[in-house]
Amino acid sequence: MLGFFAAGITVDLLDLLNARRSTPSRLLGEPGPAPAELQRLLQSAVRVPDHGRLDPFRLIALEGAARVRFGETLARIHARMDPATPDAALDKDRKRYLDAPLILVVVARIDEHHAKVPAQEQLLSAGCVGYNLLLGAQALGYGAQMLTGWAAYDREVADLLGLTENERVLAFVHIGTARERAPERNRPAVANLLSHWS
């Protein structure tokens, strides 16, 4: 059996992977993880492959009223960037972070000139943190979705979040209690993805 044994319970890790699905952020609500659950989640999420032990990642939590302020500021930035932005798009900016009670911003800290660890490996390590957050949230009984959007790629938003020049937003991971079961979707056939080199 592919799994581990803890507290008298055997958990099949492949069952967890096969049950993994994203819960659309609009379907997430209160409650979010309690402080002790969040600590467990974060400790697990950062156990990722990390060539050189660089910790090329960090996390920023958006909770409570900070989510409102963040959305309002994004709407102002968006309107300034493009004065022709429709009101509906600006309203979406304002409300995008209000459904899930917790949003974790996954930040990649990339040393482009590292002597031994290529930037791509650092980026992959940080990306694994985002994926572990999805898996960990689901293991704790919460729904989660990893999103980007224009704000993930905007330098003014990076400055708003306090990112340095070598940092970038990889994703916003929305976490909360699912108001309804997340829909399943068709998954790719492995036979179409696997080839054998000889």
Side-chain angles (χ1 to χ4, degrees):
M1 170 178 266
L2 295 172
F4 63 91
F5 186 79
I9 301 170
T10 302
V11 178
D12 189 318
L13 297 178
L14 293 183
D15 283 347
L16 175 64
L17 291 174
N18 287 326
R20 199 215 69 77
R21 62 184 68 185
S22 294
T23 302
S25 61
R26 68 183 182 281
L27 299 181
L28 298 173
E30 296 283 357
E37 290 177 310
L38 179 58
Q39 188 65 26
R40 281 187 70 201
L41 175 60
L42 298 180
Q43 285 174 338
S44 298
V46 299
R47 294 181 63 94
V48 296
D50 179 9
H51 183 191
R53 300 178 185 174
L54 300 178
D55 299 331
F57 45 78
R58 67 184 179 98
L59 299 160
I60 301 169
L62 297 174
E63 299 177 275
R67 298 171 303 149
V68 177
R69 290 193 303 275
F70 188 67
E72 291 287 349
T73 307
L74 290 192
R76 287 195 295 275
I77 292 170
H78 199 170
R80 190 168 56 248
M81 282 180 359
D82 179 7
T85 303
D87 288 343
L90 298 177
D91 195 49
K92 187 173 182 181
D93 288 335
R94 288 185 195 94
K95 295 178 178 174
R96 184 185 306 267
Y97 303 92
L98 299 183
D99 293 312
L102 172 65
I103 294 95
L104 291 171
V105 186
V106 181
V107 176
R109 301 188 300 181
I110 307 300
D111 180 352
E112 297 280 355
H113 308 291
H114 195 279
K116 293 185 178 180
V117 184
Q120 178 172 313
E121 292 185 18
Q122 299 171 55
L123 193 62
L124 286 169
S125 183
C128 286
V129 172
Y131 186 60
N132 277 356
L133 288 171
L134 295 179
L135 288 174
Q138 185 163 318
L140 289 171
Y142 296 99
Q145 185 177 30
M146 186 160 53
L147 298 171
T148 53
W150 69 267
Y153 307 102
D154 184 81
R155 190 64 235 178
E156 191 171 351
V157 174
D159 292 341
L160 174 67
L161 289 166
L163 273 55
T164 61
E165 283 300 316
N166 71 318
E167 294 182 322
R168 68 180 93 161
V169 173
L170 278 191
F172 299 94
V173 180
H174 298 240
I175 302 172
T177 297
R179 291 194 274 258
E180 58 186 80
R181 184 172 170 78
E184 183 55 281
R185 65 174 177 83
N186 290 332
R187 303 292 173 171
V190 173
N192 296 334
L193 304 174
L194 177 66
S195 61
H196 295 272
W197 184 86
S198 60

